[in-house]
Amino acid sequence: MGDHYLLNLYECDPRRLNDEDFIRNTLEEAAKFADMTLINIMSYKFTPQGVTAIALLAESHMSIHTWPEECKAAVDVYTCGDKAKPEVACSTIKSYFLSKQSTIDHVVRL
């Protein structure tokens, strides 16, 4: 059915983690670089801090949940088909948040 990547980002730039527009742009750029078809992006900025954003893709979805106060983000990238490059999306997101440490798990959905 697809590939599901679970990316945990640590030691990120807290300003970027709390910038809703930056996060939306990051999802858009990650989709473009990873040959994904972006349908829509929804996001929500929490008070006093943190953002959740979801990109709906023709191939499935990407999501980002941030904790600026802890310099952390949790990212899901799930794609179906052979065209998309979810590893590129993960790498793009990691670099945009200036993450100094990360973990990644790959789950093959059958």
Side-chain angles (χ1 to χ4, degrees):
M1 292 189 314
D3 290 290
H4 196 169
Y5 287 83
L6 307 170
L7 177 63
N8 296 305
L9 303 176
Y10 306 100
E11 299 178 50
C12 299
D13 182 331
R15 291 174 304 249
R16 292 182 178 196
L17 292 173
N18 205 39
D19 185 333
E20 185 176 9
D21 290 333
F22 177 84
I23 292 169
R24 292 174 66 94
N25 182 64
T26 297
L27 285 170
E28 187 174 336
E29 292 289 303
K32 179 175 71 174
F33 295 142
D35 293 327
M36 298 172 177
T37 307
L38 180 63
I39 296 171
N40 197 7
I41 296 176
M42 295 180 61
S43 60
Y44 182 80
K45 186 167 187 338
F46 293 94
T47 302
Q49 58 200 356
V51 176
T52 291
I54 300 169
L56 178 63
L57 308 169
E59 297 80 10
S60 193
H61 71 274
M62 291 188 288
S63 65
I64 299 175
H65 308 278
T66 71
W67 293 267
E69 71 278 15
E70 297 181 22
C71 301
K72 295 180 189 177
V75 179
D76 286 353
V77 178
Y78 182 49
T79 61
C80 301
D82 297 329
K83 179 183 155 239
K85 300 177 196 124
E87 308 90 351
V88 171
C90 290
S91 177
T92 300
I93 293 167
K94 179 181 175 184
S95 70
Y96 275 44
F97 285 113
L98 305 175
S99 174
K100 294 178 184 168
Q101 185 179 17
S102 65
T103 64
I104 190 164
D105 292 306
H106 177 208
V107 177
V108 177
R109 303 283 180 142
L110 302 174

